Amino acid sequence: MKLALFPLLLAFSAGAPLFREVTTEAGITWRHFNGQSADRFLVESTTGGVAFLDYDNDGLPDLLFVNGGETPAGRSQKPVRHALYRNLGQGRFVDAGAKAGIERGKSYGMGAAAADYDNDGHTDIYITGYPAGILYHNNGNGTFTDVTARAGVANQGEWGASAAWFDYDNDGRLDLFVANYAEFSFSDRRHCEFDGKPAYCAQTAYRGRPSRLYHNNGDGAFQDVSAASGIAALPGRALGVAAIDYDGDGRQDLFVARDASPNLLLRNRGDGAFENLALEAEVAYNPDGVARAGMGVDAGDVDGDGKPDFVVTNFDSEYHALYLNRGRLPFREATVASHLARYTRPYVGWGVRLLDFDNDGDLDLFLVNGHLHEMISQSNRTVSYREPPLLLANDGEGHFSRVDAGPVFQKGYLGRGMAAGDFDNDGAVDIAFVSLNEAPVLLRNEAASGQRWLGVRLRGTVSNRDAIGARLDLKTSGRTLTRWITGGGSFLASHDHRVVFGLGRDGVPGELEIHWPSGCVQRVNGLAPGRYHDITEPTQRRTP
């Protein structure tokens, strides 16, 4: 791949990379397989999930990689398997998927959502795919059991993409949202060509499907409440989802990124139903009234005002979009003003994460990209099939600049799912992403050396055990840093649920105020920097 194909890529200067690839030295040998064939089933182009999770509760984040699968004419020479890599410490992993019982997928795999849905202290796994999803219950002894049928969350007959665990009714139990993409069948071969060669048909050739919402009953079973919640009435090609309380009313809302279908901003009404305010918020379409090809989505405080903003990855020439939350509708689209338009125009974006890579207190952007069409450069010389990841630094006011972060950022990938997590517990958030039909990429963050940080792991008692939905406000050195533990986020991915606050060179942490999903407000002082702190929710609800 010639660097000329990346016109906006800055030259890599000599010196240590900010993110260093450690895939091989970590012992990760798994490779992705998508069953690509001359049939060009569209599902082949969108697969590849990843999750950071501590499934064995040893304090070291492990890694799950979700494989695609075989297609009628796209067969594999060896069994197609998922991989669960147990973190051994010292930067090494070992594949424990076979022992854990999740190695072989029963569906064509897409993404993953990891969380403790039954509050038993062990992280469970939901894997999306076609024609069904799979729920694996963590047995607490290094193994998992497929409980899909008993739980009632198969999402049968659907092409499930991203998923999010979140507690929409604040009953202390995690519910499950599955973003469904389109009507699809391997028996429905659609023939499209480019320059006489097989090509993927446009997404608009596939009719969008409604997503699904499953309510956690607390007895191991879930109830499909898609119709009652209003979600079933909103069909479209959904790919990404992030759950967060965007309006500060104490209820978890949903942003759903959709492909050539209008995005959804689903406000939680508090009565079991959601209302779509995407039009009023001006996030459904681009400024010209056209639905972008939304893939991934993430939420966080980009401009430091304490309110969650949204970033959405899109197709090339559409720009990855930034929506700033002003505390009222509509949101302000800052795609151009933030410089996202400048840096993302040539790329097809998938995984996205707002993270403070250099621990200076500001949320930066990590994005993975990759095109769908091998021959794209023949029709558009400014666009490549294989594309580099992007690291964009935030100036603290929502303006981004491209960072020259190392050799990986000069290479082209077919990036899809991307997750963030601190696998070596050094307070610098690391990255893992999947590239179609290749080995995944594990990047160790070496950009935060010399910076101070504070890590927090929450444990719910009245709230769900993972504290998904919590808001954390940390006072430090004349400013307040606001972070959330979100459900979902990125694309086909699940992140480390711990929160890292970057404190800069000499920042001093002050009072930490935690707004638990239950409504409890807890204030904690005296937290020492440079380590993770376990904080448990008080068992009694109380307000400020």
Side-chain angles (χ1 to χ4, degrees), residues 336-361:
V336 174
S338 67
H339 309 309
L340 267 187
R342 175 191 305 175
Y343 297 119
T344 64
R345 184 181 184 278
Y347 304 119
V348 177
W350 302 86
V352 54
R353 187 62 170 166
L354 286 161
L355 75 165
D356 184 2
F357 81 92
D358 53 359
N359 280 345
D360 66 353

Side-chain angles (χ1 to χ4, degrees), residues 462-521:
V462 180
S463 303
N464 67 87
R465 184 171 173 81
D466 289 322
I468 293 174
R471 190 184 90 218
L472 300 88
D473 298 317
L474 177 69
K475 295 179 180 178
T476 173
S477 303
R479 64 189 295 197
T480 298
L481 303 178
T482 301
R483 302 290 184 262
W484 292 263
I485 301 178
T486 58
S490 190
F491 174 73
L492 306 183
S494 192
H495 308 287
D496 188 343
H497 290 147
R498 297 175 300 176
V499 174
V500 175
F501 292 95
L503 303 175
R505 289 274 171 193
D506 50 16
V508 177
E511 182 178 79
L512 174 65
E513 184 173 280
I514 305 166
H515 294 254
W516 294 88
S518 66
C520 171
V521 178

Side-chain angles (χ1 to χ4, degrees), residues 84 88 137 145 153 188 196 201 316 386 448 526:
L84 180 63
L88 302 176
H137 178 263
T145 299
V153 293
D188 181 12
C201 294
D316 69 83
R386 303 171 64 84

Side-chain angles (χ1 to χ4, degrees), residues 107-188:
S107 294
Y108 188 99
M110 291 292 292
D116 181 5
Y117 76 85
D118 56 355
N119 294 328
D120 67 352
H122 306 292
T123 301
D124 311 297
I125 297 170
Y126 187 79
I127 294 180
T128 61
Y130 170 81
I134 304 172
L135 178 60
Y136 290 103
H137 178 263
N138 188 333
N139 300 320
N141 60 0
T143 68
F144 291 78
T145 299
D146 181 348
V147 295
T148 313
R150 177 173 181 266
V153 293
N155 196 35
Q156 191 64 46
E158 301 288 356
W159 172 357
S162 298
W165 292 104
F166 76 124
D167 183 5
Y168 77 89
D169 56 355
N170 287 339
D171 65 355
R173 299 187 293 266
L174 289 174
D175 310 299
L176 179 64
F177 179 91
V178 183
N180 287 328
Y181 188 65
E183 293 181 357
F184 177 80
S185 171
F186 284 126
S187 63
D188 181 12

Side-chain angles (χ1 to χ4, degrees), residues 33 43 56 60 69 94 126 160 181 202 214 267 325 420 451 488 541:
F33 181 81
V43 71
D56 54 358
L60 297 170
V94 62
Y126 187 79
Y181 188 65
Y214 294 98
R267 179 181 176 273
N325 186 344
Q451 300 281 71
R541 295 175 183 260

Side-chain angles (χ1 to χ4, degrees), residues 21-33:
E21 182 176 358
V22 294
T23 315
T24 300
E25 65 185 78
I28 295 173
T29 59
W30 175 89
R31 293 180 66 89
H32 183 259
F33 181 81

Side-chain angles (χ1 to χ4, degrees), residues 47-128:
T47 175
V50 57
F52 276 104
L53 71 160
D54 183 7
Y55 80 93
D56 54 358
N57 284 340
D58 64 355
L60 297 170
D62 311 300
L63 271 169
L64 170 71
F65 294 106
V66 178
N67 224 328
E70 294 183 320
T71 62
R75 316 304 289 182
S76 176
Q77 295 181 351
K78 54 186 179 181
V80 179
R81 61 185 184 88
H82 308 312
L84 180 63
Y85 278 95
R86 181 171 176 261
N87 190 338
L88 302 176
Q90 305 298 316
R92 296 288 299 175
F93 291 79
V94 62
D95 190 352
K99 177 183 177 182
I102 65 168
E103 187 181 39
R104 296 293 298 274
K106 299 178 182 179
S107 294
Y108 188 99
M110 291 292 292
D116 181 5
Y117 76 85
D118 56 355
N119 294 328
D120 67 352
H122 306 292
T123 301
D124 311 297
I125 297 170
Y126 187 79
I127 294 180
T128 61

